[in-house]
């Protein structure tokens, strides 16, 4: 089956995983604000789970839980982070659900030097994955998962994106599709195309340097770094007659109150439709050696004159010596 690759025109504002945030002197900044928030709908249940916003030089935010409506409709999530970094988001679900986990880091940076400075953002995206399973889906039904990373600054004229990365996988009755947008992450690979009802996309640890701009002495800018993971499905297994709870009497099936459930595992529509999106989930990645790396904003002075670098001066000197020697030999 041929996979459709659809470019994403503009990334939605949502985040990434990293570890340690270091500001190199003399870079002045305010105390960062961090926030973790998960919004979910599962079956007939809706809710928001939030920790933060936290404004502190240390400490962290963390939301970790699962929600369930009946047996088939369920979600699990873990969105977390600290003021020093080491953040990520993982969401997953089965049945009929819609969930998004977002971690946000924001700060204000000030150029306290007497010269114009260039600001460089160095960061590492932790390895992650997207996966969607959709078996025997009918027309209009879907199962999907996505991630988005957005790095933005505001110099006073409004927030704008300087770097982004996103991808989404989806299963429908027509098969699997992959959409990619912004900057692709290292090792980004479609490892399963959805022809068997399952599509999988993953990426390796990725390190990047992003130029944020030049800022004059005394000027400042707001910095916002966001990572999100999303998953959803509009398939409700309880609309299928083969998946409905049945009362077979005492001792049969599994006891859910007064009703005993007959799990018809021969019908994959009842149990097989699910999705997951994760980046930086420590319960998963640390077991495989994917440790977060340093995330840094640094500054360097902007040269105002056409002064050659020492290496260039040395090369120029060697060239002059060579010309003089050649001229002497000719004489």
């Amino acid at each position: 089956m041929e996979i459709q690759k659809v470019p994403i025109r503009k990334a939605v504002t949502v985040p990434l995983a990293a570890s340690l945030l270091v500001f190199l002197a003399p870079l002045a900044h305010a105390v960062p604000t961090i926030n973790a928030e998960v919004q979910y709908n599962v079956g007939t249940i809706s809710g928001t789970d939030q920790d933060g916003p936290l404004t502190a030089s240390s400490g962290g935010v963390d939301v970790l839980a699962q929600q369930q409506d009946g047996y088939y409709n369920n979600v699990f999530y873990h969105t977390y982070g600290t003021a020093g970094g080491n953040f990520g988001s993982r969401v997953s679900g089965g049945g009929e659900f819609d969930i998004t986990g977002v971690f946000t880091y924001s700060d204000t940076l000030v150029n306290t030097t007497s010269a114009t400075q260039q600001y460089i953002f160095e960061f590492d995206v932790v390895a992650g994955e997207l996966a969607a399973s959709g078996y025997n889906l009918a027309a209009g039904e879907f199962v999907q998962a996505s991630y988005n990373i957005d790095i933005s600054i505001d110099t006073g004229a409004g927030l704008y994106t300087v770097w982004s990365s996103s991808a989404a996988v989806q299963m429908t009755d027509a098969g699997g599709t992959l959409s990619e947008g912004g900057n692709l992450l290292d090792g980004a690979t479609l490892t399963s195309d959805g022809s068997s009802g399952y599509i999988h996309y993953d990426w390796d640890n990725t390190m990047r340097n992003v130029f944020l701009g030049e800022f004059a002495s005394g000027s400042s800018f707001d910095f916002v770094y966001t990572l999100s993971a999303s998953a959803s499905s509009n398939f409700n297994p309880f609309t299928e007659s083969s998946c409905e709870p049945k009362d077979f009497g005492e001792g049969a099936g599994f006891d859910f109150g007064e009703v005993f459930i007959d799990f018809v595992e021969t019908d994959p529509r009842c149990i097989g439709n699910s999705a997951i999106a994760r980046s930086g989930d420590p319960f998963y990645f640390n077991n495989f050696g994917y440790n977060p790396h340093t995330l840094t904003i640094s500054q360097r002075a902007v040269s105002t004159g056409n002064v050659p670098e020492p290496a260039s001066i040395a090369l120029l000197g060697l060239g002059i010596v060579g010309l003089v020697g050649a001229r002497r030999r000719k004489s």
Side-chain angles (χ1 to χ4, degrees):
M1 186 199 67
E2 181 180 356
I3 294 302
Q4 305 173 23
K5 298 185 75 173
V6 184
I8 299 176
R9 299 181 64 89
K10 183 178 180 182
V12 184
T13 304
V14 269
L16 160 111
S19 78
L20 182 63
L21 189 61
V22 179
F23 294 97
L24 303 182
L27 184 61
H29 62 98
V31 176
T33 299
I34 57 175
N35 188 62
E37 181 175 305
V38 175
Q39 295 183 348
Y40 60 85
N41 297 288
V42 52
T44 60
I45 301 173
S46 298
T48 299
D49 197 346
Q50 183 174 6
D51 190 8
L54 173 66
T55 302
S57 57
S58 62
V61 291
D62 196 330
V63 287
L64 170 63
Q66 61 182 6
Q67 308 293 336
Q68 193 160 349
D69 181 22
Y71 176 74
Y72 298 107
N73 301 320
N74 61 87
V75 292
F76 173 85
Y77 53 87
H78 187 203
T79 299
Y80 64 95
T82 67
N86 189 28
F87 48 91
S89 185
R90 173 258 173 99
V91 297
S92 59
E96 185 179 31
F97 69 97
D98 184 2
I99 184 168
T100 297
V102 180
F103 174 81
T104 306
Y105 178 104
S106 60
D107 203 353
T108 299
L109 295 97
V110 183
N111 181 3
T112 59
T113 71
S114 58
T116 298
Q117 300 285 323
Q118 293 181 338
Y119 285 78
I120 311 297
F121 182 46
E122 306 168 40
F123 61 96
D124 181 23
V125 182
V126 174
E129 67 170 337
L130 304 174
S133 302
Y135 299 96
N136 301 325
L137 295 176
E141 293 180 338
F142 65 84
V143 184
Q144 61 189 17
S146 63
Y147 83 89
N148 188 91
I149 299 164
D150 188 86
I151 300 169
S152 303
I153 65 172
D154 185 355
T155 59
L159 199 67
Y160 66 92
T161 298
V162 295
W163 193 93
S164 66
S165 180
S166 58
V169 295
Q170 183 181 73
M171 284 297 304
T172 67
D173 64 313
T177 58
L178 165 67
S179 302
E180 297 171 310
N183 300 272
L184 295 185
L185 302 178
D186 293 346
T189 306
L190 183 68
T191 55
S192 176
D193 64 8
S195 58
S196 62
Y198 178 73
I199 186 168
H200 184 264
Y201 177 87
D202 54 27
W203 56 92
D204 299 332
N205 279 8
T206 298
M207 290 187 288
R208 290 288 187 272
N209 293 332
V210 175
F211 178 64
L212 300 180
E214 295 184 358
F215 298 91
S217 174
S219 63
S220 64
F221 65 95
D222 294 330
F223 172 83
V224 180
Y225 180 58
T226 312
L227 166 69
S228 78
S230 300
S232 61
S233 169
N234 67 350
F235 170 73
N236 183 356
F238 285 111
T239 62
E240 303 295 310
S241 59
S242 61
C243 301
E244 292 177 355
K246 299 178 176 65
D247 188 353
F248 287 89
E250 191 69 27
F254 292 82
D255 188 359
F256 278 77
E258 296 299 320
V259 177
F260 288 83
I261 307 301
D262 176 29
F263 296 108
V264 188
E265 297 188 7
T266 56
D267 185 352
R269 284 176 60 85
C270 299
I271 60 174
N273 297 320
S274 61
I276 184 172
R278 71 167 103 215
S279 180
D281 179 11
F283 293 146
Y284 179 80
F285 289 108
N286 286 354
N287 293 334
F288 292 86
Y290 294 120
N291 295 316
H293 294 275
T294 301
L295 181 154
T296 305
I297 298 179
S298 58
Q299 65 182 22
R300 62 190 179 198
V302 177
S303 176
T304 57
N306 296 321
V307 180
E309 297 179 357
S312 301
I313 295 174
L315 290 173
L316 179 61
L318 289 174
I320 294 173
V321 170
L323 288 173
V324 171
R327 190 167 186 177
R328 285 180 178 175
R329 285 194 299 273
K330 186 175 181 180
S331 301

